[in-house]
């Protein structure tokens, strides 16, 4: 509860232009965000550049980030979108576009609306998890904490953390596929992204 209060307070301060709040959030989430990006792009330099873009976007959109939602979820979605954009650009420059056009996501909505939809999908799926699995997923995937630390926080073994994580990822993937069949190719890519876990 105290952690959530702290994050709400940080987001409030961030919306007011506090660079100290921004730095705190950056140091809290940079490792997890970098890991998510690297899983997609597999290039350290590109991942580092995208990481900087993600946190620049957080600063630029500081007044739009909802204080009642998880900043980790917002960062997860933005990092996914920026990594996907980078991969699309790489494909285009490699002239793979002509050979594999069906693999590229189409720009179906403007960026803000797309972030909002994806964040809602991720939050909705996570909120349908049982309490313990939800906590494990948030701590491991959104906050980037190591298995050992999560096991200690939650009070379960490391193999149980890994098992909960595997089950949660499987559930979220299945939930997204079952509940959101609107044809958004970006949601399909989100499902593929979850498969990397």
């Amino acid at each position: 509860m105290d952690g959530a209060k702290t994050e709400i307070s940080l987001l409030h301060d961030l919306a007011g232009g506090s660079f100290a709040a921004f730095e705190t959030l950056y140091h809290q989430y940079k490792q997890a965000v970098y890991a998510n990006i690297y899983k997609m792009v597999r290039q350290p330099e590109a991942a580092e550049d995208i990481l900087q873009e993600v946190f620049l976007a957080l600063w630029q959109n500081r007044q739009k980030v909802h204080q009642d939602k998880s900043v980790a979820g917002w960062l997860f979605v933005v990092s996914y979108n920026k990594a996907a954009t980078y991969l699309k650009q790489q494909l285009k420059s490699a002239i793979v576009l002509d050979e594999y056009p069906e693999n590229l996501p189409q720009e179906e909505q403007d960026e803000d609306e797309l972030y909002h939809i994806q964040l809602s999908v991720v939050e909705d799926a996570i909120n349908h998890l049982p309490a313990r699995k939800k906590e494990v997923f948030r701590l491991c995937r959104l906050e980037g904490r190591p298995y050992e630390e999560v096991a200690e926080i939650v009070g379960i073994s490391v193999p149980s953390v890994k098992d909960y994580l595997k089950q949660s990822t499987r559930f979220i993937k299945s939930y997204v596929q079952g509940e959101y069949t609107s044809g958004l190719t970006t949601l399909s890519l989100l499902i593929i992204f979850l498969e990397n876990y």
Side-chain angles (χ1 to χ4, degrees), residues 17-28:
S18 167
F19 193 71
F22 173 79
E23 281 188 313
T24 301
L25 290 168
Y26 175 80
H27 290 295
Q28 184 175 344

Side-chain angles (χ1 to χ4, degrees), residues 124-169:
D124 191 28
I126 292 171
N127 286 333
H128 278 80
L129 289 168
R132 248 191 177 167
K133 289 181 181 175
K134 183 191 304 186
E135 185 178 10
V136 167
F137 187 85
R138 285 191 184 279
L139 289 170
C140 287
R141 291 298 174 237
L142 300 181
E143 294 183 21
R145 297 187 188 211
Y147 296 144
E148 294 77 13
E149 184 182 340
V150 174
E152 191 175 314
I153 291 169
V154 180
I156 58 177
S157 68
V158 171
S160 293
V161 168
K162 291 178 181 178
D163 190 47
Y164 278 22
L165 208 48
K166 188 184 292 185
Q167 290 174 28
S168 298
T169 301

